[in-house]
Amino acid sequence: MDISGLSLLLTLFILRPAAKASAEEITWTYSGLVGQSEWSEYFPECGGTAQSPVDVITTQTKYDSSLIPVTPLGYSQHGNKPFTLYNNGHTAVIELPEWMGLGGLPWLFTAVQMHLHWGSGGPSHGGSEHTINGLSADAELHVVHYNSELYPNMSAAMTQRNGLAVLGILIVVIKGLKTGEETNPGFNNILNYLSRIRHAKQSAFIPAFDVQTLLPKDLGRYYRYNGSLTTPPCYQSVMWTLFNERVQISKAQLLKMETLLYSSTAEEPDRMLLQDNYRATQPLNHRVIFASFSAESGKELSPGEVTAIVIGVMCGCVGLAVIVRFIVKTIRFFRLLHLETVVVNNSSTSSWDILHNNRPAPMPRTKKPEEDEKKQDMVMNSTSDGEIKDKPETDP
Ligand SMILES: *[C@@H]1O[C@H](CO)[C@@H](O)[C@H](O)[C@H]1NC(C)=O
Ligand SMILES: *[C@@H]1O[C@H](CO)[C@@H](O)[C@H](O)[C@H]1NC(C)=O
């Protein structure tokens, strides 16, 4: 057998398992051998045209008044049965009871699980999957539901259009607080138990808790678009709801998320920290992101902007007062001139002509009721200068 025959055999031998293995047994990662850019080689949908996450460019979103607030159903009725917390090697997953669901969408959706995505560098170093105007949050919570009106279960729904509804909650570390202060108690229901599932494939029962405490208060303002699972197999079946309001956690809480878990199993000799488990934003490809609120009315004013507006309004009022005063004085002045013209000079010049010329018509310098006009203001003086100043003092 010659060299080319051998290399052909070798090639076939090497290629065949790879081609066959393009299913669940492929261990994908966020970086490395089967990193994000390789996902689509094994999971074709990851190379699709409606992928998630995306960057939300707020000026390019489209306001849709039909987008009513989403309503969590049974999120607070957690009961006594513990939740299961699981390290799947990619994230920490909390399985949710099937009586939890989501309303406010065209179909009824049933809750399945929730999980987190985070970074590695502490606050302000990325970690969220979705970004808004190019800006990352520190972490992101996803609450996954399937369309239980159209499909019998999660596995049937996840490959179908409108099969899933995922809530995306951006998480940021509260600024200006010392480490440990002002924790978000809702998130401790998860974070306090991460130490029990440090290695991949480990799971633990955790006390059931009110899942709604993890959501922002304002469920009425969100972005909606058609997208995908953000992990392989990247099925393009998700109606995304990304809330406008971010939830806050402490720096210590973020550090627990970022440093406690391993992507490696307990049996593996090399421990691999589970970090930076967020996918890069994907092209929109002509998709439209809808907003349940109009960007302008929703904008909150900063103290600086409020001050600027107050000063602006005050200046405007003062300016208006000056103009009104000027007009009143001008009218009074020309009315007097007109009287003089008619009475004293008996000329044919009308007050209209005078106003039209915007200055007094030539006329004999007779008299002027100085008492009435002695408080001429500067505006008046500058416009009709000489005429007023050298008025004779004689009264008719
Ligand atoms: C989900 O539903 C499909 C279609 O009815 C069924 O074939 C499948 O066995 C179900 N899977 C699970 C996990 O229940
Ligand atoms: C998602 O796609 C469906 C068509 O399958 C369309 O009717 C719907 O308006 C889209 N939703 C959004 C938010 O783009």
Side-chain angles (χ1 to χ4, degrees):
M1 186 183 288
D2 64 3
I3 288 294
S4 68
L6 183 67
S7 63
L8 179 68
L9 251 181
L10 270 174
T11 309
L12 283 174
F13 181 76
I14 291 164
L15 277 186
R16 193 186 282 151
K20 262 200 156 173
S22 64
E24 297 82 51
E25 64 258 40
I26 285 289
T27 310
W28 57 270
T29 54
Y30 283 90
S31 56
L33 279 182
V34 189
Q36 302 187 39
S37 39
E38 281 73 46
W39 289 357
S40 60
E41 291 171 26
Y42 303 91
F43 308 96
E45 292 225 28
C46 296
T49 56
Q51 288 289 293
S52 293
V54 294
D55 179 37
V56 178
I57 302 169
T58 51
T59 54
Q60 288 170 17
T61 60
K62 196 168 182 293
Y63 170 58
D64 182 350
S65 59
S66 74
L67 295 177
I68 58 173
V70 293
T71 44
L73 304 171
Y75 272 41
S76 301
Q77 280 78 56
H78 48 77
N80 295 322
K81 197 165 169 275
F83 292 167
T84 300
L85 177 66
Y86 178 60
N87 179 341
N88 68 5
H90 308 296
T91 183
V93 183
I94 295 105
E95 291 169 5
L96 294 174
E98 60 189 16
W99 65 78
M100 289 188 188
L102 199 60
L105 292 160
W107 302 273
L108 197 64
F109 285 79
T110 296
V112 181
Q113 52 107 319
M114 59 184 172
H115 61 264
L116 292 153
H117 299 269
W118 58 83
S120 61
S124 308
H125 284 85
S128 70
E129 300 214 290
H130 289 92
T131 58
I132 295 185
N133 295 326
L135 290 177
S136 297
D138 294 319
E140 187 168 332
L141 172 70
H142 290 159
V143 191
V144 183
H145 310 74
Y146 78 91
N147 189 329
S148 45
E149 266 189 63
L150 296 185
Y151 306 106
N153 55 46
M154 171 72 179
S155 35
M158 71 193 296
T159 59
Q160 307 296 316
R161 199 156 185 87
N162 299 320
L164 305 182
V166 182
L167 302 181
I169 295 111
L170 296 173
I171 302 169
V172 289
V173 165
I174 309 168
K175 294 253 165 60
L177 286 163
K178 294 190 189 82
T179 307
E181 265 185 280
E182 198 80 9
T183 62
N184 183 323
F187 279 85
N188 279 345
N189 290 302
I190 303 170
L191 301 177
N192 285 351
Y193 301 98
L194 291 183
S195 54
R196 299 193 190 172
I197 56 151
R198 297 198 69 176
H199 299 279
K201 295 184 179 167
Q202 290 182 331
S203 66
F205 287 122
I206 63 169
F209 63 94
D210 182 351
V211 176
Q212 191 148 354
T213 61
L214 306 177
L215 305 187
K217 284 186 202 71
D218 183 358
L219 302 179
R221 293 153 67 89
Y222 58 81
Y223 300 105
R224 167 74 44 78
Y225 77 98
N226 286 329
S228 74
L229 301 176
T230 64
T231 57
C234 307
Y235 296 134
Q236 298 186 154
S237 54
V238 181
M239 294 177 69
W240 274 97
T241 301
L242 182 69
F243 290 111
N244 177 251
E245 185 189 333
R246 297 158 171 225
V247 303
Q248 299 187 315
I249 61 171
S250 71
K251 187 179 173 186
Q253 287 182 305
L254 181 70
L255 293 183
K256 277 188 183 177
M257 217 182 276
E258 288 187 348
T259 60
L260 278 179
L261 300 185
Y262 297 109
S263 60
S264 50
T265 61
E267 294 75 37
E268 284 176 88
D270 296 324
R271 288 183 174 185
M272 299 282 290
L273 272 176
L274 176 42
Q275 293 184 319
D276 294 317
N277 57 352
Y278 59 95
R279 189 188 193 189
T281 54
Q282 304 294 306
L284 263 186
N285 295 324
H286 310 298
R287 279 176 292 174
V288 176
I289 299 179
F290 294 92
S292 68
F293 58 104
S294 78
E296 290 317 306
S297 70
K299 221 177 177 182
E300 278 174 27
L301 297 174
S302 71
E305 286 169 322
V306 171
T307 310
I309 288 170
V310 168
I311 290 174
V313 168
M314 279 165 62
C315 289
C317 288
V318 169
L320 201 62
V322 167
I323 290 167
V324 167
R325 185 172 147 85
F326 172 70
I327 291 170
V328 167
K329 291 243 174 195
T330 308
I331 289 170
R332 202 200 284 162
F333 173 62
F334 285 123
R335 203 180 271 157
L336 283 164
L337 277 183
H338 178 61
L339 275 174
E340 286 158 7
T341 310
V342 171
V343 172
V344 177
N345 197 32
N346 202 17
S347 102
S348 59
T349 313
S350 73
S351 59
W352 173 254
D353 292 331
I354 293 164
L355 283 170
H356 192 72
N357 293 335
N358 203 23
R359 69 193 304 273
M363 51 173 282
R365 296 300 162 92
T366 47
K367 74 291 102 195
K368 170 78 177 72
E370 192 67 10
E371 299 84 60
D372 284 2
E373 296 298 327
K374 64 181 151 215
K375 282 185 274 168
Q376 288 293 339
D377 60 33
M378 279 174 57
V379 186
M380 191 64 167
N381 287 340
S382 64
T383 42
S384 46
D385 231 48
E387 284 88 346
I388 300 160
K389 275 188 200 147
D390 47 30
K391 279 277 177 329
E393 305 238 337
T394 44
D395 246 7

